[in-house]
Amino acid sequence: MAAKTNVQQLQKAGIIAAKHNLTEADQAKVNGLTENEVSALISARQKLGDALLKKSAKGGKFPHPDSFSY
Amino acid sequence: METNSQRLRGKIELVRPRLRQAAGEVWHHARLAELFPELLVTVHSVIRATVPTLKTAEQCARARAAEDPVCAGMVEYLAAHAIEEKDHDEWTLDDLEILGVKREDIWKRIPSPAAAALVGVQYYWMRHVHPVAYLSYQAIMENPPSPEFLEQAIERTGLPREAFATQLFHGSVDPHHVADFDRLVDSLPLSEWHHSILGVNAFQSVELLAQVYDDLLYRFETKNRDGA
């Protein structure tokens, strides 16, 4: 049986919703992650597909801060 | 060929939308004027640890520098950056005083567990795994705010401009810090192992920082709903 790709593993774990089609660039990025990085995403329960699709959420002309910029 | 910093930022971009969503709920809140002092208190709860964590990262890197070229490459940068970041937490307290929040009251506040976890994991990674991990935290945290957005927020809230002084300062100087940071990361002889540590800590730190925003909003809305 062929080994699962990172995208497939993350879909199985519910981190990427199966209905979401990632762009080729995002798929390549995700499939380039190491096993430990994939585990970290699963551990953090990041909903990667949702997150990627919300790239333009809450905006306006200028982006709001998202860190504490120390 | 992708540089070290591009590779790190590419991973952060995968999860940053979660952070942007959480931060957006705060910055676009209908009652931002009331929420803003709480945001600054939260910011202070995290950035009070900036210089101490930078110094710890420097000490950890220095201790391994003789036999570890990645650590050797980080020492000088971390030492210099700790000096650059000195007193920024104090400036945030100054901004809060303008909003009528007393310094002594801020130190009595118990920070959110997510803030403690966010900072605490940095100590774990750099002390017990490798100091390079600290760089992903820095890449996430040092993301300059848009001066234009801050100007709009000042207008929208009607709060004194001086209360945004630290935010505005970061909007102007952090782009230089980002360039310095990228130069450092690109100069380090990182292996796949180092890249993996950077990615793991980046994913964990983004989620924890998003939780810090979630906690802030939850506490604010609960307090207002319950009239506490």
Side-chain angles (χ1 to χ4, degrees):
Chain A
M1 195 181 357
K4 281 200 168 96
T5 64
N6 288 345
V7 169
Q8 288 168 330
Q9 281 186 63
L10 291 169
Q11 281 175 338
K12 192 178 174 200
I15 305 302
I16 299 174
K19 64 180 178 182
H20 292 155
N21 293 318
L22 300 184
T23 64
E24 276 188 25
D26 283 336
Q27 279 190 51
K29 258 189 229 166
V30 173
N31 283 330
L33 299 176
T34 64
E35 194 182 331
N36 288 309
E37 289 169 329
V38 172
S39 297
L41 285 172
I42 293 171
S43 169
R45 297 274 174 260
Q46 292 268 11
K47 297 293 182 193
L48 203 51
D50 286 342
L52 287 168
L53 290 177
K54 282 178 184 163
K55 270 179 178 166
S56 59
K58 295 270 180 200
K61 196 171 172 192
F62 303 109
H64 58 262
D66 65 7
S67 77
F68 293 166
S69 267
Y70 59 54
Chain B
M1 173 80 179
E2 202 174 35
T3 64
N4 289 338
S5 59
Q6 285 168 342
R7 190 166 167 187
L8 172 58
R9 294 193 187 283
K11 289 175 188 176
I12 293 170
E13 285 310 306
L14 282 174
V15 291
R16 194 179 280 283
R18 155 78 172 113
L19 181 55
R20 289 198 55 71
Q21 183 76 17
E25 297 295 335
V26 171
W27 278 104
H28 293 278
H29 198 280
R31 296 166 71 185
L32 180 61
E34 293 161 73
L35 183 52
F36 187 66
E38 294 302 311
L39 172 61
L40 289 189
V41 170
T42 302
V43 168
H44 180 262
S45 75
V46 172
I47 69 165
R48 67 177 67 166
T50 300
V51 172
T53 53
L54 277 165
K55 285 185 173 171
T56 300
E58 182 209 337
Q59 287 160 6
C60 292
R62 196 179 292 282
R64 296 183 185 204
E67 64 273 359
D68 184 327
V70 172
C71 285
M74 292 169 59
V75 171
E76 223 173 280
Y77 168 84
L78 292 166
H81 199 55
I83 294 167
E84 284 173 347
E85 297 299 335
K86 192 171 176 294
D87 293 336
H88 290 197
D89 52 337
E90 283 294 319
W91 300 351
T92 303
L93 295 179
D94 292 342
D95 296 350
L96 276 160
E97 279 198 328
I98 287 162
L99 296 171
V101 185
K102 290 181 186 161
R103 282 176 135 73
E104 56 268 30
D105 291 344
I106 295 157
W107 286 104
K108 287 180 194 157
R109 300 269 295 265
I110 297 175
S112 97
L118 173 65
V119 173
V121 298
Q122 308 313 321
Y123 286 105
Y124 177 85
W125 286 111
M126 60 193 172
R127 279 190 171 146
H128 306 296
V129 183
H130 195 281
V132 76
Y134 187 74
L135 299 180
S136 33
Y137 177 67
Q138 208 177 339
I140 294 159
M141 299 301 276
E142 199 133 43
N143 190 30
S146 149
E148 293 87 354
F149 180 86
L150 293 175
E151 293 294 344
Q152 287 175 351
I154 292 167
E155 198 178 319
R156 183 157 54 98
T157 58
L159 293 172
R161 185 183 176 75
E162 294 74 22
F164 288 79
T166 306
Q167 302 279 325
L168 289 164
F169 174 80
H170 282 293
S172 65
V173 302
D174 280 5
H176 305 293
H177 287 184
V178 170
D180 290 346
F181 174 83
D182 284 354
R183 265 194 297 278
L184 165 78
V185 176
D186 292 340
S187 73
L188 298 175
L190 300 181
S191 67
E192 286 304 300
W193 185 77
H194 295 115
H195 276 292
S196 194
I197 292 170
L198 284 166
V200 169
N201 190 32
F203 296 152
Q204 184 180 24
S205 297
V206 163
E207 178 57 27
L208 287 169
L209 181 54
Q211 285 177 22
V212 171
Y213 281 108
D214 292 346
D215 285 359
L216 162 64
L217 197 57
Y218 177 80
R219 284 200 309 271
F220 178 78
E221 290 188 338
T222 305
K223 191 176 168 186
N224 280 286
R225 191 187 59 218
D226 299 345

